[in-house]
Amino acid sequence: MHNNPFNLIISGLGGQGVFTLTKALWKLCEMNNIKCQSSTFKGGAQKHGSIYSVLRIFIKDNKHYDLYSTQILEQELDLIIGLEAWETLRYKEYFNEKTKILMNHHISPFQIERIDSIKGKDPVQLITDLNLDTLIRDFSAKSKQSFGTTKMVNFLLGLEVFKIGIIPFNTADYIKVFEDQIHAGRKLKSKLMNYK
Amino acid sequence: MDSYQNIMVNGNEAVAWGALCSNIDYFAHYPGSPINMVEPAIKKLVSKFNMNIAINDSLNEHIAALCAAGASYCGARSLVVMKHVGVNIAADPFNYLGYTGVKGGMVIVVGTDPGANSSTGEEDTHWYAPQFNFPLFEPTSVREIFDYVVQSYELSEKYSIPVLIFIPGRLCYNSDSIQIPDHLYGNLSGHSSNPIYYFKKDNKKYINVGKRAIQNHRGLLERLEKLSQNSNYSKKYFNSKAKSGLITRGLTFGNVYESVIRLGIQQKVHLLNLDLVFPVNADIVRDFVKGKNEVTIIEDQDGFLEFHIKAVLFNKTKCLIRGKEFFPKYGEIVFKQVSDYLSNLFNIKPKKYNFSPCENIIPERLGTFCEGCPHRASFYAIERALQGTEGVIGGDIGCSSLPPFRADWLMCMNAGIGISQGMSHILSRQTVISTGGESTFFHGGIISLQNAVLNRINMIHIVFDNRVIGMTGRQASPTTRKNVNYKKLLKSIGVDRLSVVSAFKPSKFAKVLKKEIQQKGVRVIWVNTPCAQTPDLAAKLKRHILLPFIDSTQCRECTLCYDKLCCPAIYRTNEKNDQFNIDTARCMRCGTCRDICPNNAVKTNFAAPLPKLVSGCVKLIFNSLK
């Protein structure tokens, strides 16, 4: 009997914290004795490049998780956490009618094209038009308001996963694990630890 | 039973743990994605456990291979790490290390890249294994990476042969927890003393020529044959009596294993994964195909395993052996291809979804330069100097190649100076400007430059010295610690003219270049400007003090800064017109836009009141001294 793992993609751009969130979720799985395969892809660019990670969380079946594929089969994605709109839409081939989309309302221009082949198109609207279970919020503004920086969007998106109850973890554990992952000043870490 | 330590690692880190737990004494590498994180992981562990390991941050893969061999000849266990294309560079010594054999175990870890996710190509390096006559492992999981690194040292010493381990990019960045038995974990803290090694002279082994070389070649083949017969590094799953067989290697194993389970065909197939990909153990393969009607070999790239399995089974089975008839030789084999193939083979209807994604094609975010990257400014200067001509720009590997349109080709290490040299030799109407970073210059470019001097070739080579190996994680290059006198170096090899410029003054840079184009001989322009990701103190202070902006009253919307320089920190204030400004959160204060603006529209203010600026500067200086 095949127990499909929970398939999750985290997407964004270089510097947005895709890897930090990935590592935090992965560590949380390990802490809870839930096996998880996680792969990250960063390409060649230091900044502004597409970044994504794949997490396959074996909530039901832990035994042979490392024999499974490191890839997700097309149309088998359960959840995508998007830190940027175009980078969320990039993985649409993996969506099915039950895929949940959790996304920051942020659109980053295609830096080097300048002559934009997708001019006039709104990726947020395109995602909304898919009619999937979608939560799109301006997490950048919320991050700025709560932490004084937009760099905590990844943290807030991760927190939302637990609020929705998709993965059954303790929020306090998540905050602690996340704090371990980031290289931030004392001030920001203290704000994080006191975050409610 | 041995207890163990549970640690969480990615594929790169698993290599480091495996090697250090195996008591290595020597580590040599040349950084290259996807295997670029082994070096920092080793250095971190060496520092954490206070280990005494000789580390060689080699200038290229050839020297890394030879250095590790030298250590191994003296009895030390050595690790060499490089990416797939690096094996081309190291191939020369690898061709003969099998002849000499090794004393201390020698393991060569190679990051492969089917799908070219972090490389300029997806060369199938597997074919080197039979050329070198080295055994080759291909792990299927992070845990296996650790296990096979450990086992490879034992194997290497037992058969006196270097062992190859190939890890595809996807697995290099895959993370998992691994269990390290205490007896191996204990090696980490027990490795503080420096053992005394000795090189035992042996002309028969180490001097290979004529009959001796043939004798040693024969010895190598015999050792390899013995290793093949005595080893069973494979795993089998599902129904051994099934008439259909599947054979895999590396990451295709996971795709096949999961597809079989998803489709519920466990009773209909028998799956064999070969962890030791070369040499193929003939007994295992013959035994596997016995009683089967058909076997499909599913693997990435050229069909290396299929070739060798067919050779082993030639005229020895009636079983139908297939592979590349169904799977492409290019790109990475994706899960869907495997799942679709097995669905067709067993007439299973694929799962239907009531969803079709929108048809918009999302453009690739092609690589670009960071804000404040000196390469951006340099290419702007080169393009200005060549404006209106049919000038050619020779491109090289590294960050300078990131936007794949600034140079005229992108191929391999030193392709900038090499191809440009050939072109300069024969072109009369077109100016050729060769480019490359300082890392590629020291990797092999310096020899090409010496070659240009020797052959009296009229050429211009530009060295982008950003003082780090930027693309692979900002490892140190020879100019990082400013201990290379490149002026003396270039003079001593006979370069005719040398100019030193700053990338952030593109107007001056373009003038210098125009002047050099008129000259003859071997001319070098050394662009001495640090990487934006490793700014020096002056750059940090500028960022703290200055607040640049575009004065809309002086901007004439020429769009040079936006369309030609393409700095990501410059943005349109309104999509409908050509009004621009600078995003100060992104801007690195390099000043390039100010230098190129023909209307003096880029201005700067102080970022804060003077006392606050002063205290901030003091803090920055103090931190840099620490």
Side-chain angles (χ1 to χ4, degrees), chain B residues 98-99 101 159-161 216 219-227:
Chain B
Y99 285 29
Y159 293 97
S160 181
I161 197 168
N216 285 338
L220 166 65
L221 295 175
E222 284 168 359
R223 294 200 305 278
L224 196 68
E225 178 62 24
K226 215 178 270 179
L227 183 150

Side-chain angles (χ1 to χ4, degrees), chain B residues 149-193:
Chain B
V149 169
V150 172
Q151 290 184 50
S152 291
Y153 280 104
E154 288 159 19
L155 214 60
S156 174
E157 284 167 2
K158 188 173 175 187
Y159 293 97
S160 181
I161 197 168
V163 177
L164 289 163
I165 300 178
F166 284 4
I167 310 174
R170 198 176 275 274
L171 195 55
C172 285
Y173 298 131
N174 196 274
S175 300
D176 201 352
S177 57
I178 58 174
Q179 286 79 43
I180 302 181
D182 280 349
H183 73 274
L184 289 175
Y185 195 86
N187 287 342
L188 300 170
S189 44
H191 198 293
S192 51
S193 61

Side-chain angles (χ1 to χ4, degrees), chain A residues 40-55:
Chain A
T40 49
F41 300 87
K42 72 168 191 69
Q46 298 291 308
K47 281 177 93 178
H48 310 301
S50 300
I51 307 273
Y52 77 103
S53 65
V54 170
L55 283 114

Side-chain angles (χ1 to χ4, degrees), chain B residues 555-587:
Chain B
C555 177
R556 299 287 173 266
E557 292 107 31
C558 68
T559 73
L560 277 182
C561 60
Y562 187 78
D563 281 334
K564 299 293 177 199
L565 183 65
C566 292
C567 178
I570 295 171
Y571 66 97
R572 281 178 200 273
T573 51
N574 185 337
E575 278 299 321
K576 286 174 191 156
N577 57 35
D578 279 343
Q579 292 281 308
F580 302 96
N581 211 339
I582 296 170
D583 181 346
T584 51
R586 286 182 152 187
C587 172

Side-chain angles (χ1 to χ4, degrees), chain B residues 97 153 200 286 506 591:
Chain B
L97 286 183
Y153 280 104
K200 192 180 168 195
R286 281 180 205 138

Side-chain angles (χ1 to χ4, degrees), chain A residues 4-99:
Chain A
N4 206 11
F6 185 84
N7 293 324
L8 164 62
I9 286 179
I10 305 174
S11 67
L13 296 170
Q16 285 191 312
V18 169
F19 292 171
T20 307
L21 179 57
T22 305
K23 213 166 177 189
L25 293 180
W26 175 58
K27 286 210 163 175
L28 215 49
C29 288
E30 285 288 329
M31 271 171 63
N32 287 277
N33 204 23
I34 291 175
K35 289 298 175 191
C36 171
Q37 279 203 14
S38 111
S39 314
T40 49
F41 300 87
K42 72 168 191 69
Q46 298 291 308
K47 281 177 93 178
H48 310 301
S50 300
I51 307 273
Y52 77 103
S53 65
V54 170
L55 283 114
R56 307 197 73 201
I57 305 171
F58 293 75
I59 297 172
K60 289 178 195 164
D61 181 12
N62 256 347
K63 255 191 210 165
H64 303 297
Y65 76 98
D66 61 343
L67 302 179
Y68 274 54
S69 173
T70 52
Q71 301 177 22
I72 296 175
L73 195 58
E74 277 182 23
Q75 295 208 292
E76 287 280 329
L77 185 65
D78 295 299
L79 169 70
I80 183 162
I81 301 177
L83 282 92
E84 196 272 341
W86 287 117
E87 294 310 313
T88 307
L89 207 51
R90 188 178 298 285
Y91 302 96
K92 59 187 165 44
E93 307 302 328
Y94 292 91
F95 298 176
N96 62 46
E97 67 271 21
K98 288 182 181 166
T99 302

Side-chain angles (χ1 to χ4, degrees), chain B residues 45-114:
Chain B
L45 289 173
V46 163
S47 159
K48 183 180 171 186
F49 291 98
N50 195 23
M51 300 172 87
N52 197 350
I53 308 281
I55 295 177
N56 189 325
D57 296 320
S58 305
L59 289 181
N60 65 34
E61 295 84 349
H62 182 262
I63 190 69
L66 287 167
C67 291
S72 182
Y73 286 169
C74 300
R77 283 188 164 183
S78 68
L79 171 71
V80 202
V81 174
M82 62 192 69
K83 70 182 287 177
H84 62 321
V85 290
V87 182
N88 300 327
I89 313 292
D92 198 359
F94 284 159
N95 272 302
Y96 303 102
L97 286 183
Y99 285 29
T100 62
V102 291
K103 190 177 168 197
M106 181 172 172
V107 174
I108 303 153
V109 175
V110 177
T112 62
D113 198 1

Side-chain angles (χ1 to χ4, degrees), chain B residues 379 382-383 385-396 405-410 415-424 426-435 459-462 464 513 517:
Chain B
F379 275 102
I382 297 166
E383 283 160 8
L386 293 178
Q387 201 173 19
T389 73
E390 289 179 286
V392 178
I393 305 175
D396 215 317
F405 61 77
R406 300 303 285 252
D408 290 311
W409 60 83
L410 168 60
I417 191 165
I419 293 174
S420 300
Q421 198 168 137
M423 286 185 175
S424 300
I426 56 152
L427 286 176
S428 53
R429 281 175 45 204
Q430 283 174 290
T431 304
V432 182
I433 308 294
S434 157
T435 69
M459 74 171 296
I460 298 174
H461 180 57
I462 298 177
F464 301 129
L513 183 53
I517 289 170

